[in-house]
Amino acid sequence: MPASPSTARAINDRLALRLLQQEGPLAAGQLKQLTGLSRPTVADLVERLTAAGLIAVVGESGEQRRGPNAKVYGIVADLAHLAALDVRTEGVGVVVTDVVGDVLAEASVPIGGDTGTGPAVEQAVALVERVAKEAGAEQLHTVGIGAPGLIDPATGELRDSGGLPVWHRSLVAALQERLPEARVIVENETNLAALAEQRDGAARDRDTFVLLWLGHGTGAAVVLDGALRRGASGGTGEIGFLPVPGTGQLPSATDCAGGFHSLAAAPAIVQLAGAQGLVADIGAHEPYAATLVRVAVAAPDIPAHARFLDILADRVSIGAASVVAVLDPGCVVLGGEVGRAGGDVLAARVEERLARMSPLPAEVRASALGGGGVLRGALLTARESAQEVLFGASAG
């Protein structure tokens, strides 16, 4: 059956808003061309969206043109303010944006391992409030949080996980209490990084791929046919617990020591570098393991560097081969700070080893976003959620 007039209007409005989100400001003629709608229909939807306060004139399409057809329309940026958090074992980063994703303020704070739960939560919440104030946001509409660990698919809450700080789970509840008007969304950090790589990074042309996270810990995110797969308990991709050769023991339900984590997480990489005589200056902007990899990649012909990269690629390929054998994703993105630091040099080494280990073809790519993918993914999630509410409630 044909859609009712009100349904058709809502569909057209949402289509126009989606195009304005993806393409940026557009003239009415451009909206007509991109939507395939008639000129009167576009004129009507522009009038409706303007009256609803969702879009506004932001300029003209050319200096020589005048009149209604020359007006360029964009989403009203200050319709809502959003926050994204990257919660790590050692601290938290925060960014506040408007509803179209333009960054208004950002900051981070380290949180030591000996900090108590209460003080740690207060530091993190205070950081969010401070950054929101600097951004001029009186109220946050949606907060997206990326954190390590398992997200309960039934409740959307961060589950208790051994080895992770207690304040992580307490932070979510504290933010919801201090920001009662905001919607707080929590997602696994690796899943968010995969979403960011698919939208803005190394997997833009792939609807099926696996992101292998290499950072302080290890993990994997699985995207199949364009959809992120979380699993029955939210644990898809907990590859750190994968039993692998070369560790001398097996992981347990509460400790990933002996799993893939023991081969490819940051502590193992630092230990491997030391065994090969590789050292680097400690930088504040990335984990030391990533700095070591970056130094090796910068001069891969130095024998010690080559040995380090070869052994690291051997280790990474063990985890990657297991993922490829089960899922056949066709593409593996080496994510996290270490994956980005390794770049094409490490990716090529891993791809070469996968070709020898598996009959299933798999391209290996380096992350384009590194550790920043978590914050970017959290922002994308918050923005899409907010727009769904704002546009769904007001459009049509």
Side-chain angles (χ1 to χ4, degrees), residues 24-256:
L26 297 168
Q30 292 172 304
L31 281 171
K32 174 181 177 298
Q33 182 179 12
L34 292 170
T35 61
L37 300 173
S38 67
R39 189 178 299 277
T41 300
V42 170
D44 287 344
L45 73 83
V46 166
E47 183 178 353
R48 280 195 304 274
L49 296 177
T50 301
L54 299 179
I55 68 173
V57 176
V58 295
E60 294 189 346
S61 59
E63 294 181 0
Q64 305 304 318
R65 299 185 62 190
R66 295 292 183 268
N69 291 334
K71 293 179 180 178
V72 174
Y73 298 89
I75 294 173
V76 176
D78 60 0
L79 191 64
H81 291 97
L82 319 172
L85 280 72
D86 180 3
V87 179
R88 300 294 181 94
T89 303
E90 68 280 4
V92 60
V94 177
V95 60
V96 173
T97 75
D98 56 31
V99 78
V100 297
D102 291 334
V103 175
L104 303 176
E106 56 186 323
S108 61
V109 63
I111 298 178
D114 57 350
T115 305
T117 298
V121 169
E122 182 57 35
Q123 285 184 50
V125 174
L127 179 68
V128 174
E129 293 175 335
R130 176 169 65 82
V131 176
K133 183 177 181 180
E134 291 175 359
E138 295 183 4
Q139 181 175 307
L140 292 173
H141 183 281
T142 306
V143 179
I145 303 174
L150 298 174
I151 309 299
D152 190 321
T155 65
E157 296 179 350
L158 187 65
R159 290 165 51 183
D160 287 322
S161 299
L164 294 176
V166 177
W167 66 266
H168 282 194
R169 194 165 190 270
S170 301
L171 173 60
V172 178
L175 280 171
Q176 193 66 82
E177 181 180 350
R178 294 270 278 268
L179 305 171
E181 301 300 322
R183 182 184 184 193
V184 178
I185 304 170
V186 187
E187 181 59 271
N188 173 267
E189 60 176 356
T190 307
N191 287 344
L192 291 178
L195 293 176
E197 294 287 354
Q198 186 181 34
R199 180 72 62 84
D200 301 321
R204 286 191 299 270
D205 61 336
R206 308 288 306 202
D207 62 1
T208 294
F209 71 98
V210 168
L211 180 134
L212 191 61
W213 181 269
L214 304 173
H216 178 76
T218 59
V222 178
V223 177
L224 301 178
D225 299 323
L228 181 68
R229 307 297 181 177
R230 296 177 174 84
S233 64
T236 293
E238 286 296 320
I239 198 172
F241 287 88
L242 181 73
V244 293
T247 62
Q249 66 181 89
L250 291 174
S252 70
T254 58
D255 188 356
C256 57

Side-chain angles (χ1 to χ4, degrees), residues 375-389:
L375 204 55
R376 179 61 181 162
L379 175 58
L380 289 170
T381 299
R383 189 178 76 181
E384 291 184 1
S385 175
Q387 291 182 349
E388 185 72 22
V389 173

